[in-house]
Amino acid sequence: MATKKQYFLSPIGTFNYPWLDKPSVWKDSARDGKGGSVPALPLDINARYSVNLNIVKKVFEASDFKKDIDKVWKLAQEQYKGRYDETREPYSKDDDGNYVLKPSCRAAFMNKESGKVSPMAPTLKDCDSRDITEFIKNEDISVASGSVGRVKVTTYVGEPSKSRQTGKMMLSMKLDLKMAQFKRLDRYE
């Protein structure tokens, strides 16, 4: 039985650590050996597009987005009941009590049969829903932290798996980034 993919549109928040215009990969040697994200090529199958979206507590808690994500999360917890020891919520809170979403997506996908690599970049839109992905690439704009907007995501809940940190079986929900829409786009200079 096929199921229709559901898309969820977040409330407006502030983008932090945005890798929306270029993908990134983790390098242990970055930041003088402390490790960190560095720019990657758009067709790097190990790279990801990602962003942290901080949303004011009152706005997030009143949103349909939270209600819908919570409903999917509750169903997943019921489906895998008894098969996990701990959970990783689909969102977290920052030190100020505001909510943080961390959606991401692969930069590229390789077809195992043909070996062809296809890009999987999220669509970037302005406040009027016009696609500005090519404009941002052509103008070589780097999206800066502090930009304001929202994201469109799908959800993914895989089988419970062993946590590297605790060794316990963990159930987690990932938010797969499909689109970022800017209310205000700040450029990183």
Side-chain angles (χ1 to χ4, degrees):
M1 178 173 96
T3 57
K4 184 179 176 187
K5 187 173 278 201
Q6 284 187 283
Y7 293 92
F8 303 95
L9 190 60
S10 76
I12 292 175
T14 303
F15 293 139
N16 287 309
Y17 309 108
W19 288 95
L20 297 168
D21 50 287
K22 296 174 185 76
S24 68
V25 293
W26 181 267
K27 294 284 185 192
D28 289 333
S29 59
R31 299 183 331 133
D32 296 325
K34 296 177 186 172
S37 296
V38 297
L41 296 172
L43 293 179
D44 183 340
I45 61 172
N46 297 310
R48 300 190 76 74
Y49 290 93
S50 62
V51 65
N52 290 358
L53 179 62
N54 292 57
I55 304 169
V56 174
K57 179 181 178 179
K58 185 176 177 181
V59 171
F60 189 75
E61 289 180 347
S63 72
D64 287 338
F65 178 85
K66 181 180 185 315
K67 291 175 188 126
D68 293 341
I69 293 293
D70 285 349
K71 189 184 308 179
V72 173
W73 181 232
K74 184 178 178 184
L75 286 171
Q77 289 175 308
E78 289 171 4
Q79 178 182 351
Y80 294 111
K81 191 172 186 170
R83 296 178 55 198
Y84 59 89
D85 304 310
E86 52 189 32
T87 61
R88 182 179 302 134
E89 303 286 326
Y91 44 78
S92 59
K93 288 187 176 181
D94 65 13
D95 294 338
D96 297 325
N98 295 319
Y99 286 85
V100 181
L101 305 177
K102 296 183 178 184
S104 67
C105 66
R106 291 177 182 238
F109 168 78
M110 180 185 291
N111 183 309
K112 290 182 181 178
E113 292 177 16
S114 69
K116 181 182 178 194
V117 176
S118 302
M120 296 179 58
T123 303
L124 305 178
K125 294 190 175 191
D126 68 7
C127 59
D128 293 324
S129 293
R130 292 179 296 221
D131 190 330
I132 58 172
T133 308
E134 289 304 313
F135 172 76
I136 287 175
K137 286 181 186 174
N138 294 340
E139 295 295 317
D140 199 27
I141 295 171
S142 293
V143 178
S145 287
S147 294
V148 175
R150 60 186 177 179
V151 295
K152 182 188 280 187
V153 300
T154 58
T155 60
Y156 174 75
V157 180
E159 295 274 332
S161 59
K162 195 171 191 176
S163 168
R164 291 182 198 157
Q165 289 85 13
T166 64
K168 296 180 178 181
M169 293 302 285
M170 179 179 289
L171 180 67
S172 63
M173 176 189 279
K174 294 180 178 21
L175 300 177
D176 191 25
L177 180 64
K178 298 299 180 185
M179 184 266 300
Q181 183 177 24
F182 299 96
K183 183 175 180 182
R184 187 190 76 227
L185 172 62
D186 293 342
R187 291 176 83 146
Y188 180 79
E189 301 292 335

